[in-house]
């Protein structure tokens, strides 16, 4: 299928514009045109911006430097900047009379402009070739192409993996079905570092390096690294690069568990920032701006601040002022954009964390774009980036046998985001709006808006909602969370993203289709029509506030400790645990927020909370507690271990 690549020629000089459109159109017929270049005119900046907003197939813009606009000194440069701010993935060329004009444009919009043409040359065949070459470069998938090429070459494999391109499975009466299920291409493409032409993820100098460079350009980073172990590993790699044992780190306590694991691995000294909580819906919001600013002021010696934006529920920070405040104190900022990797490609979601000045950004490309599960990206904009140190840490965590299809999927996901991300995201936004309206008309279900989601303490913080993540309040439906999820799954073949005691979360992506949407709506409508009487819903008890650290998390984690039962013989919280120091990270899942981290002092409130969860919320997984004979145990430091910890004095 040939794509369509629209080229917008912006000029108010009608005769010249007609000549250019004719000349370029004729070249498109005469020459090879694999990208489907077609040419349309716009008479001025306003018309151009309007077309760019409406037409996701515009890939290139040619701006006539002679463009006039009342009251604007340099309309061409201003338009170039406006286009680049709106859709940075669009390539821009300026058509000049002479080199003086070029200097003027370069002064005002050099970052936005990809190249120049000169009117007096009017070599439309030549221009066409240059524009086609620009598209070829942007849409290239160097790693994926090489992988396909290698598979087609049908080389005999005398190397790993052991299934040898699927030959060990093929035709087997026992496992031949897996060959059919996985498919020949996926198995033939499962290769290893023994094939030099496919480059090495751990030391990229060839097609992987090229693919990463294209990703860096697309996402607006200085450097981009492909990770095949998810954002979980990506966060740990950055932590180990930036934080030495004892280095101070500011973090949202509500961060993903990989961040907490990174604290243990790096030996950092964490300062936890309590996130806001929406008690009505049991949803954790962002950390209040005032809390972040106060923490930055109080800890100018911190090396790193990490925040999650957007959150799982789609809440995103007003990052600019926060990053600025951190940078003023020399604090590096990492933003976990696991749920926001598409944001660069539609203005409704921007600014991205990188655009807001973040030094490091991690993205689960697999969560929200077309990459395979586990395929993530690390973007770097830190001016003081130590590439060698980063590489050492990256290689410490990465497998020496990465899955090549994951790398190819990152290459393809980036290409898709650049070439058609705007169009697909625009459609997703429209579908989200439509679904919102439909759900709200059901009578029993309601999509929560930003105002519903925001806890009071962050109302003035400039927080915004990603409209593709829908949190649906079902409290009026008469269903419990389990019943609703069960009914949707068993009766209507719908699997939702997650739930709380009063909400379900629906994730729309560029893969959401209209028919999927109508099936979901139909299901909710039928469930609403059951008109079950609303009933009181069990709530998750409120997560206790952080107590204090008695030592570095890493020190507590690496001690042997002793295991004490969570409950005493009478089923009450075990009083012997109060005042002790926890060795493990205790995370009830959902919601997945640590109630205790290694090194944290345990108090009565925490014990009561854990005991209550164990008794009343049987479906919750309690990560970090040891189980023996049906009883749960907490690993805590012995007093002698605590006394002999090297950094103990810091915490008294
Ligand atoms: C905020 C956040 N960060 C990081 C991760 C880990 O991402 P991955 O699944 O790519 O390892 C998740 C996963 O759910 C997450 O929610």
């Amino acid at each position: 299928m040939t794509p369509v690549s629209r080229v917008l020629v912006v000029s108010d000089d009608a005769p010249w514009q007609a000549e250019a459109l004719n000349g370029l159109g004729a070249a498109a017929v005469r020459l090879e045109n694999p990208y489907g270049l077609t040419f349309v005119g716009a008479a001025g900046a306003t018309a151009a911006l309007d077309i760019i907003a409406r037409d996701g197939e515009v890939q290139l813009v040619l701006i006539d430097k002679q463009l006039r606009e009342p009251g604007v000194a340099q309309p061409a440069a201003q338009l170039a900047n406006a286009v680049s701010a709106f859709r940075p993935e669009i390539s821009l060329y300026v058509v000049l009379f002479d080199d003086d004009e070029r200097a003027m444009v370069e002064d005002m919009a050099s970052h936005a402009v990809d190249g120049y043409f000169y009117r007096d040359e009017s070599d439309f065949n030549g221009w066409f070739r240059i524009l086609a070459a620009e598209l070829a470069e942007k849409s290239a998938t160097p790693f994926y192409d090489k992988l396909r090429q290698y598979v087609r070459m049908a080389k005999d494999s005398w190397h790993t993996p052991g299934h040898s391109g699927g030959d060990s499975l093929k035709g087997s009466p026992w496992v031949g079905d897996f060959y059919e299920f996985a498919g020949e291409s996926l198995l033939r493409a499962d290769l290893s570092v023994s094939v030099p032409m496919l480059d090495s993820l751990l030391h990229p100098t060839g097609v992987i390096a090229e693919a990463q460079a294209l990703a860096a350009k697309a996402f607006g980073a200085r450097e981009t690294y492909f990770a095949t172990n998810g954002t979980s590993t990506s966060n740990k790699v950055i932590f180990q690069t930036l934080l030495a044992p004892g280095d101070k780190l500011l973090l949202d306590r509500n961060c993903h568990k990989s961040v907490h694991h990174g604290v243990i691995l790096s030996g950092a000294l964490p300062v936890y920032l309590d996130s806001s909580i929406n008690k009505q819906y049991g949803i954790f919001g962002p950390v209040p701006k005032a809390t972040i600013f106060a923490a930055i002021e109080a800890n100018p010696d911190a090396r790193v601040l990490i925040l999650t934006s957007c959150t799982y529920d789609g809440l995103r920070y007003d990052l600019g002022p926060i990053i600025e405040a951190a940078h003023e104190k020399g604090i590096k900022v990492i933003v976990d954009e696991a749920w926001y990797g598409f944001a660069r490609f539609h203005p409704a979601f921007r600014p991205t964390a990188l655009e807001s000045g973040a030094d490091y950004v991690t993205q689960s490309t697999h969560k929200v774009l077309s990459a395979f599960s586990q395929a993530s990206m690390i973007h770097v904009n830190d001016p003081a980036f130590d590439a060698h140190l980063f590489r050492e840490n990256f290689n410490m965590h990465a497998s020496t046998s990465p899955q090549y299809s994951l790398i190819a999927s990152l290459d393809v996901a980036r290409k898709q985001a650049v070439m058609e991300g705007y169009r697909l995201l625009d459609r997703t936004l429209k579908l989200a709006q439509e679904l919102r309206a439909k759900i709200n008309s059901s009578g029993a279900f309601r999509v929560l808006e930003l105002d519903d989601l925001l806890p009071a303490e962050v109302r003035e913080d400039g927080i915004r909602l990603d409209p593709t993540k829908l949190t649906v309040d079902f409290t009026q439906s008469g269903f419990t969370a389990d019943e609703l999820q069960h009914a949707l799954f068993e009766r209507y073949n719908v699997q939702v993203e997650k739930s709380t005691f009063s909400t379900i979360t629906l994730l729309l992506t560029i893969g959401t289709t209209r028919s999927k949407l109508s099936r979901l709506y139909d299901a909710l409508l039928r469930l609403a029509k059951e008109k079950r009487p609303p009933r009181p819903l069990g709530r998750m008890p409120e997560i206790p506030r952080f107590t204090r650290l008695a030592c570095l998390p890493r020190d507590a984690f690496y001690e042997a400790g002793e295991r004490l039962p969570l409950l005493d013989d009478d089923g009450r919280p075990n009083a012997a645990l109060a005042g002790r120091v926890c060795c493990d990270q205790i995370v009830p899942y959902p919601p997945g927020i640590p109630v205790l981290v290694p090194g944290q002092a345990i108090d009565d409130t925490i014990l009561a909370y854990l005991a209550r969860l164990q008794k009343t919320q049987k479906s919750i997984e309690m990560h970090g507690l040891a189980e023996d004979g049906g009883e749960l145990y907490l690993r805590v430091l012995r007093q002698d271990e605590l006394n002999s910890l090297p950094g103990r004095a810091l915490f008294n």
Side-chain angles (χ1 to χ4, degrees), residues 117 125 141 276 301 311 349 430 462 635:
F117 294 126
N125 275 0
T141 43
S276 54
D301 54 337
T311 63
F349 303 107
K430 290 192 177 106
R635 190 165 69 96

mmCIF file of all heavy atoms in Angstrom, residues 117 125 141 276 301 311 349 430 462 635:
data_model
loop_
_atom_site.group_PDB
_atom_site.id
_atom_site.type_symbol
_atom_site.label_atom_id
_atom_site.label_comp_id
_atom_site.label_asym_id
_atom_site.label_seq_id
_atom_site.Cartn_x
_atom_site.Cartn_y
_atom_site.Cartn_z
ATOM 1 N N PHE A 117 15.595 26.080 -0.665
ATOM 2 C CA PHE A 117 15.610 26.044 -2.123
ATOM 3 C C PHE A 117 15.716 27.493 -2.597
ATOM 4 O O PHE A 117 15.273 28.409 -1.894
ATOM 5 C CB PHE A 117 14.312 25.446 -2.680
ATOM 6 C CG PHE A 117 14.126 23.983 -2.343
ATOM 7 C CD1 PHE A 117 12.962 23.545 -1.716
ATOM 8 C CD2 PHE A 117 15.099 23.050 -2.671
ATOM 9 C CE1 PHE A 117 12.784 22.201 -1.413
ATOM 10 C CE2 PHE A 117 14.922 21.703 -2.372
ATOM 11 C CZ PHE A 117 13.762 21.280 -1.734
ATOM 12 N N ASN A 125 12.402 19.028 -10.562
ATOM 13 C CA ASN A 125 12.800 17.620 -10.438
ATOM 14 C C ASN A 125 13.776 17.446 -9.282
ATOM 15 O O ASN A 125 13.679 16.513 -8.483
ATOM 16 C CB ASN A 125 13.499 17.144 -11.722
ATOM 17 C CG ASN A 125 12.497 16.686 -12.748
ATOM 18 O OD1 ASN A 125 11.288 16.714 -12.502
ATOM 19 N ND2 ASN A 125 12.994 16.275 -13.912
ATOM 20 N N THR A 141 13.849 2.479 8.548
ATOM 21 C CA THR A 141 13.894 1.602 9.726
ATOM 22 C C THR A 141 15.151 0.742 9.573
ATOM 23 O O THR A 141 15.066 -0.426 9.162
ATOM 24 C CB THR A 141 12.635 0.715 9.794
ATOM 25 O OG1 THR A 141 12.349 0.221 8.480
ATOM 26 C CG2 THR A 141 11.435 1.464 10.319
ATOM 27 N N SER A 276 -0.486 13.341 46.439
ATOM 28 C CA SER A 276 -1.842 13.689 46.851
ATOM 29 C C SER A 276 -2.727 12.448 46.684
ATOM 30 O O SER A 276 -2.412 11.566 45.875
ATOM 31 C CB SER A 276 -2.360 14.826 45.977
ATOM 32 O OG SER A 276 -2.233 14.481 44.614
ATOM 33 N N ASP A 301 21.302 19.690 48.269
ATOM 34 C CA ASP A 301 22.382 18.730 48.010
ATOM 35 C C ASP A 301 21.872 17.475 47.299
ATOM 36 O O ASP A 301 22.651 16.561 47.010
ATOM 37 C CB ASP A 301 23.056 18.321 49.329
ATOM 38 C CG ASP A 301 22.044 17.805 50.351
ATOM 39 O OD1 ASP A 301 20.838 18.163 50.243
ATOM 40 O OD2 ASP A 301 22.443 17.033 51.241
ATOM 41 N N THR A 311 0.696 10.024 35.230
ATOM 42 C CA THR A 311 0.488 8.862 36.086
ATOM 43 C C THR A 311 -0.343 7.822 35.329
ATOM 44 O O THR A 311 -0.852 8.084 34.241
ATOM 45 C CB THR A 311 -0.273 9.265 37.358
ATOM 46 O OG1 THR A 311 -1.570 9.741 36.971
ATOM 47 C CG2 THR A 311 0.448 10.356 38.132
ATOM 48 N N PHE A 349 -1.100 16.758 23.713
ATOM 49 C CA PHE A 349 -0.445 16.068 24.835
ATOM 50 C C PHE A 349 0.833 16.767 25.288
ATOM 51 O O PHE A 349 1.455 16.342 26.247
ATOM 52 C CB PHE A 349 -0.085 14.638 24.428
ATOM 53 C CG PHE A 349 -1.256 13.833 23.967
ATOM 54 C CD1 PHE A 349 -1.418 13.525 22.630
ATOM 55 C CD2 PHE A 349 -2.201 13.388 24.868
ATOM 56 C CE1 PHE A 349 -2.501 12.782 22.193
ATOM 57 C CE2 PHE A 349 -3.285 12.649 24.441
ATOM 58 C CZ PHE A 349 -3.441 12.341 23.100
ATOM 59 N N LYS A 430 -10.449 11.748 19.248
ATOM 60 C CA LYS A 430 -11.873 11.853 18.882
ATOM 61 C C LYS A 430 -12.643 10.649 19.415
ATOM 62 O O LYS A 430 -13.755 10.789 19.934
ATOM 63 C CB LYS A 430 -12.022 11.962 17.359
ATOM 64 C CG LYS A 430 -11.513 13.292 16.860
ATOM 65 C CD LYS A 430 -11.899 13.563 15.425
ATOM 66 C CE LYS A 430 -11.409 14.943 15.006
ATOM 67 N NZ LYS A 430 -10.258 14.927 14.106
ATOM 68 N N GLY A 462 -1.684 23.362 38.024
ATOM 69 C CA GLY A 462 -1.526 23.313 36.556
ATOM 70 C C GLY A 462 -1.483 21.894 36.015
ATOM 71 O O GLY A 462 -0.900 21.655 34.954
ATOM 72 N N ARG A 635 10.077 -9.291 57.219
ATOM 73 C CA ARG A 635 11.509 -9.403 57.538
ATOM 74 C C ARG A 635 11.980 -8.069 58.120
ATOM 75 O O ARG A 635 11.834 -7.025 57.473
ATOM 76 C CB ARG A 635 12.291 -9.751 56.272
ATOM 77 C CG ARG A 635 13.746 -10.122 56.515
ATOM 78 C CD ARG A 635 14.325 -10.791 55.279
ATOM 79 N NE ARG A 635 14.465 -9.857 54.175
ATOM 80 C CZ ARG A 635 15.597 -9.208 53.872
ATOM 81 N NH1 ARG A 635 16.692 -9.392 54.605
ATOM 82 N NH2 ARG A 635 15.645 -8.391 52.849
#
